[in-house]
Amino acid sequence: MSSPAALLQSDTLGSRLTSRGDLTSFFMQLTAEIGADSYMLVAIVHDQDRNDARIVSSNWIFDAIELIGKRLIAGLAQGALTVAPGIRPQQLVASRAPETDGLITGEEARLLDVLGHAEIYSLRLNVGRQRLFALFSAATAGSIDQPALMRAQLKCCYALSHIPQLIAAAAMQDPLSDRERECLFWVSEGKTTDEVAVILGVSSNTVNSYITHAIQKFAASNRAMAIATAIRSGII
């Protein structure tokens, strides 16, 4: 199989992803190439005691997303059938879904089928520290070309790795609590942890806890990176 770079070299869309519109065009092209009808790019963001699914880009209709719900979307993204790059994808067929180790219920399977997602593939995307997943689906089972899907997964990993800040900003949509935002703001102003604690009337340990949560939500490696992401996203 060709390298990810070679696969993407002839893809003019993948070489110039600079906006959310470019990202949509890129995924729409991949969706057509593999014989799918729909796509969804999902980021799983750590939110203290739970993982929250954030939809970065999708052509699912709004009503379908509302009916399916974020919990089911997160479950599909991180389910037992999700595969890493280089592994043969496994399809979730809605009509047989209740047999797939309890991944979804019979009612959820029927809902997916009715909404035009009879066949779904979930792919894990290796993009730095971000937890990203691509869901590709079709209204008719057997429509999606598996070898083409494997190539599309590599294209996604390669292309998205060049725009981590765009993906992070699209996924975040201000995930911080008021206290987490305040702590990052004061640290960005040059205040120490102890100074922020005095300003907010809390302990230094509490300030460190808020900042740690903010770092995790941004999938950042340190305070400086979390602050930079928050500033670029207009959050602080």
Side-chain angles (χ1 to χ4, degrees):
M1 182 178 292
S2 302
S3 70
L7 284 171
L8 194 59
Q9 227 166 22
S10 61
D11 186 349
T12 56
L13 279 173
S15 64
R16 53 181 175 82
L17 298 180
T18 60
S19 69
R20 295 286 292 276
D22 292 339
L23 190 62
T24 298
S25 296
F26 174 73
F27 271 95
M28 289 296 288
Q29 178 173 304
L30 285 184
T31 300
E33 287 177 1
I34 66 176
D37 298 311
S38 304
Y39 80 90
M40 181 182 291
L41 177 61
V42 179
I44 303 297
V45 180
H46 180 72
D47 188 8
Q48 296 188 11
D49 295 327
R50 65 191 179 89
N51 287 327
D52 187 25
R54 306 285 173 83
I55 298 173
V56 178
S57 183
S58 173
N59 69 343
W60 285 42
I61 61 173
F62 178 78
D63 287 348
I65 294 174
E66 289 295 296
L67 287 169
I68 294 298
K70 296 292 184 66
R71 182 197 61 79
L72 179 54
I73 290 171
L76 291 172
Q78 302 178 100
L81 299 182
T82 300
V83 297
I87 299 176
R88 187 176 183 82
Q90 301 182 67
Q91 65 183 166
L92 171 67
V93 179
S95 62
R96 300 199 300 266
E99 304 170 11
T100 57
D101 298 327
L103 182 60
I104 61 176
T105 67
E107 183 178 349
E108 290 169 336
R110 285 190 292 274
L111 182 58
L112 284 169
D113 201 359
V114 168
L115 292 171
H117 305 283
E119 172 185 44
I120 300 177
Y121 285 91
S122 177
L123 311 175
R124 187 168 76 239
L125 305 179
N126 296 338
V127 184
R129 294 170 58 87
Q130 300 186 70
R131 298 176 62 192
L132 297 175
F133 301 85
L135 302 178
F136 289 100
S137 58
T140 303
S143 298
I144 297 177
D145 183 331
Q146 284 195 351
L149 184 64
M150 294 180 72
R151 293 192 294 272
Q153 185 174 16
L154 292 177
K155 281 187 178 184
C156 287
C157 293
Y158 183 80
L160 299 185
S161 67
H162 285 71
I163 53 169
Q165 297 307 323
L166 173 63
I167 298 299
M172 288 305 102
Q173 298 176 350
D174 194 359
L176 305 183
S177 69
D178 291 340
R179 281 303 200 191
E180 290 162 354
R181 193 181 308 105
E182 287 175 325
C183 288
L184 273 193
F185 169 75
W186 286 116
V187 171
S188 73
E189 292 289 301
K191 303 297 183 183
T192 66
T193 297
D194 290 338
E195 289 172 335
V196 175
V198 171
I199 292 170
L200 299 181
V202 297
S203 70
S204 296
N205 286 339
T206 299
V207 170
N208 283 330
S209 178
Y210 283 134
I211 292 174
T212 297
H213 288 150
I215 290 172
Q216 291 172 337
K217 288 179 179 181
F218 284 132
S221 57
N222 52 47
R223 294 185 177 196
M225 185 180 292
I227 290 168
T229 301
I231 291 173
R232 278 192 291 267
S233 303
I235 292 173
I236 62 173

